[in-house]
Amino acid sequence: MTNTLLTVRNLPGDSPVLLVHGLASNGRADWEDTGLVDALADAGRGAIVVDLPGHGDGPSLVRGAATTSDIAAALADAVADAGLETADVIAYSLGARLAWALAGSGRVRRLVLGGLSPMDPFGMIDVDALEATAQGAAPADPMIGMFASMLHAPGVDAPSVVGLIDALHAEPFDAGVDAPTCPTLFVSGSDDPMAQGVDALVAAVPGSTLVRVPGDHLGALASPEFRAAAVGFVTAP
């Protein structure tokens, strides 16, 4: 199923869990290849697997066509289209940023935020410079270079990902605004530099908990410890 801003696959099982992938990845890579979808299935749970704009089978997106709130609304629609009032959500990195925004919709029952940084690189980046680099210009600074390298990852449509980053840039992340009120678990890699200061995010979400798992930003997602913590949280009685 494709809506304006997402491609959605509904996998069989009861009480499907919404899964939102990270930057320069896709639903299959983050959730199926890591075994998380299988772990949910073993627990009797289905999945709503999305591909964001410019990622995998996700739709195209031009700059200025969407904001963070628009994409969060599309995620809420994916929950409603699955016939659910609320859904459990597991999200990673960029996906966790969007899931934070989604939580304000009232569509989230339990929330797992993996690899979420208290910093907002999307708010700080010069999107014009990133777009120029995507078109062949030399990177203006190391941050632009880092993001530009991700635009060449397999399955990535660079112009659409620039459009997605532009959407996030238009509404900078502020942990003091619209913090989730549903039960929330943060999961961070013990060697993930992006997770430095995550305790401040935990403090912003009353009643939330933090689990640290082995690995850096990419390794943590692939770890069995992440899988166990995330699936355990959303399947707990």
Side-chain angles (χ1 to χ4, degrees), residues 20-39:
V20 192
H21 65 79
L23 182 67
S25 189
N26 56 70
R28 286 185 174 86
D30 276 7
W31 309 121
E32 294 176 79
D33 294 352
T34 61
L36 191 134
V37 165
D38 286 341

Side-chain angles (χ1 to χ4, degrees), residues 8-122:
V8 182
R9 289 184 296 122
N10 293 288
L11 304 184
D14 294 334
S15 303
V17 178
L18 177 65
L19 305 176
V20 192
H21 65 79
L23 182 67
S25 189
N26 56 70
R28 286 185 174 86
D30 276 7
W31 309 121
E32 294 176 79
D33 294 352
T34 61
L36 191 134
V37 165
D38 286 341
L40 287 172
D42 289 344
R45 302 289 295 274
I48 305 167
V49 183
V50 303
D51 278 350
L52 297 169
H55 295 77
D57 295 325
S60 60
L61 180 67
V62 299
R63 286 187 64 182
T67 64
T68 301
S69 296
D70 294 329
I71 299 168
L75 291 169
D77 288 344
V79 172
D81 290 344
L84 303 173
E85 290 294 327
T86 62
D88 296 327
V89 179
I90 301 174
Y92 201 78
S93 194
L94 162 65
R97 165 69 186 93
L98 294 170
W100 180 290
L102 170 65
S105 70
R107 289 283 185 183
V108 181
R109 189 182 78 102
R110 292 181 181 175
L111 179 62
V112 178
L113 299 171
L116 182 61
S117 173
M119 301 180 296
D120 181 19
F122 304 109

Side-chain angles (χ1 to χ4, degrees), residues 88-89 109-112 183-185 209 228-237:
D88 296 327
V89 179
R109 189 182 78 102
R110 292 181 181 175
L111 179 62
V112 178
T184 302
L185 173 69
T209 55
V231 174
F233 185 75
V234 299
T235 59

Side-chain angles (χ1 to χ4, degrees), residues 148-177:
S149 68
M150 296 182 185
L151 299 181
H152 300 293
V156 167
D157 172 47
S160 293
V161 174
V162 171
L164 176 60
I165 291 172
D166 188 56
L168 291 158
H169 181 80
E171 292 183 11
F173 178 51
D174 183 351
V177 176

